[in-house]
Amino acid sequence: MNNRELLKDKKRIVVKIGSSSLTHPETGDINYYKMEQLVRTLADIRGMGKDVVLVSSGAIAVGRKSMGIKPETISQRQALAAIGQAQLMMTYQRLFSEYNQKTAQILMTKSTMIDDLNRKLAQNTFEELLHMGVIPVVNENDTVSTYEIQFGDNDRLSAIVAALIHADLLILLTDQDGMYTDDPKTNPEAEFIDIVPYVNEAYMKMGKSSSSSDVGTGGMKAKMVAARIATGSGADMIITNANHVEKLLNILNGDQIGTLFLSHKDPDFDIMDCLSDDHS
Ligand code: GLU
């Protein structure tokens, strides 16, 4: 069996979607069509008997749109995140309920991960929810995290969650089809990469910080950091286009879509190392 066909056997999948994929770039409004497609696809993957976790950004973007305020202070950002996260969750719950799929909210902080007891409790909660057939929706707890104590971005958070719950696949949804040798928006010669056997320094360098959007963080550089964490923890990782989210089903059927990063379980893998700022 080739590496793509092995994806059929994945049992525990973390999917991450960013703010810029969840909102219309023209207005900042929620892209309901995309959110609907995502929810339906995840409910189907769950229906196939797999454990599914969704890491969703969008709290600040949705809060900002809702209140019509561009945050200027940390407390404003945090207030908007509190407003937006509740709205985001309400929308997810409504959409998931259309497919009889239960969902739950887990808000993570870096301190939850650093503290041994808190980390263990978070892990237990994930296990229990997955055992119940629930799809947890995860975000950083932006209302209490400040710059010094935050994960950084949700690409990294999703990789840390994948490591925490021993997922065997992490899927990052983004605004391009996968990874290229250079930024395809600025370099027409950039070539698509189908498979990354090992995230070495050359790939880290290729991952340019290409996110120009002001509603999310991330970009390819952040995705390479996530790839290092996820593959080192023992999960494969895929970067694919959020515009065709229904194709996740084809990916899980072994079709050649997106860029596949092969897991490379590091015997010395320690989740604490992934929390330090210089992990890149
Ligand atoms: N946690 C942030 C939010 O929900 C987004 C972080 C990120 O996009 O990386 O607004």
Side-chain angles (χ1 to χ4, degrees):
M1 273 219 260
N2 70 30
N3 290 312
R4 289 285 182 171
E5 282 183 4
L6 288 171
L7 295 178
K8 290 181 183 168
D9 299 329
K10 297 295 177 187
K11 294 265 177 298
R12 185 166 279 191
I13 302 163
V14 177
V15 177
K16 182 258 168 179
I17 188 152
S19 310
S20 51
S21 302
L22 278 177
T23 51
H24 289 285
E26 302 84 1
T27 59
D29 282 332
I30 291 184
N31 186 332
Y32 290 107
Y33 177 77
K34 221 186 259 184
M35 219 170 152
E36 233 267 307
Q37 296 278 100
L38 173 68
V39 163
R40 182 164 149 179
T41 306
L42 296 183
D44 266 328
I45 296 174
R46 172 69 219 129
M48 289 154 70
K50 299 177 192 295
D51 294 339
V52 178
V53 173
L54 172 64
V55 176
S56 175
S57 308
I60 296 167
V62 170
R64 184 171 149 174
K65 177 69 195 174
S66 163
M67 302 304 286
I69 296 172
K70 190 168 183 186
E72 272 156 24
T73 60
I74 292 173
S75 55
Q76 271 183 0
R77 266 175 79 85
Q78 295 184 313
L80 293 180
I83 295 164
Q85 180 65 26
Q87 285 187 357
L88 199 59
M89 241 5 254
M90 188 180 69
T91 309
Y92 273 125
Q93 284 203 302
R94 195 162 42 76
L95 294 174
F96 273 117
S97 70
E98 299 258 325
Y99 303 100
N100 283 327
Q101 177 60 57
K102 296 265 187 292
T103 183
Q105 170 181 264
I106 299 193
L107 296 179
M108 308 276 289
T109 58
K110 200 168 166 181
S111 23
T112 317
M113 290 302 293
I114 290 170
D115 182 85
D116 287 345
L117 177 62
N118 281 345
R119 188 172 65 248
K120 186 70 198 146
L121 292 173
Q123 198 178 14
N124 291 348
T125 306
F126 271 112
E127 282 302 333
E128 206 60 63
L129 288 168
L130 294 173
H131 181 68
M132 291 172 179
V134 171
I135 298 184
V137 180
V138 183
N139 197 355
E140 178 152 14
N141 193 350
D142 295 311
T143 56
V144 296
S145 302
T146 61
Y147 180 72
E148 292 75 24
I149 52 153
Q150 65 188 190
F151 285 105
D153 58 76
N154 276 5
D155 292 318
R156 183 195 285 226
L157 172 61
S158 64
I160 291 172
V161 168
L164 178 73
I165 64 170
H166 306 293
D168 47 13
L169 182 62
L170 169 65
I171 301 177
L172 302 181
L173 296 168
T174 186
D175 62 353
Q176 54 191 45
D177 290 340
M179 192 185 172
Y180 290 80
T181 49
D182 198 357
D183 187 346
K185 289 178 195 137
T186 52
N187 180 357
E189 313 268 281
E191 281 171 37
F192 186 77
I193 301 171
D194 168 47
I195 195 155
V196 174
Y198 179 65
V199 192
N200 58 21
E201 285 310 316
Y203 284 108
M204 293 301 284
K205 278 206 193 111
M206 252 179 237
K208 293 191 172 174
S209 201
S210 57
S211 174
S212 51
S213 124
D214 67 345
V215 288
T217 47
M220 271 303 155
K221 193 171 161 204
K223 287 176 179 52
M224 288 310 104
V225 174
R228 261 208 176 162
I229 297 172
T231 58
S233 79
D236 284 346
M237 188 183 104
I238 289 199
I239 299 180
T240 190
N241 204 318
N243 286 333
H244 310 288
V245 83
E246 69 290 348
K247 289 193 181 159
L248 292 190
L249 296 169
N250 303 74
I251 291 177
L252 293 177
N253 200 33
D255 291 2
Q256 202 173 316
I257 298 169
T259 301
L260 170 62
F261 296 76
L262 295 182
S263 86
H264 224 269
K265 197 165 170 41
D266 174 357
D268 298 323
F269 181 82
D270 182 351
I271 205 160
M272 295 300 277
D273 296 339
C274 315
L275 299 168
S276 72
D277 289 337
D278 52 30
H279 186 93
S280 59

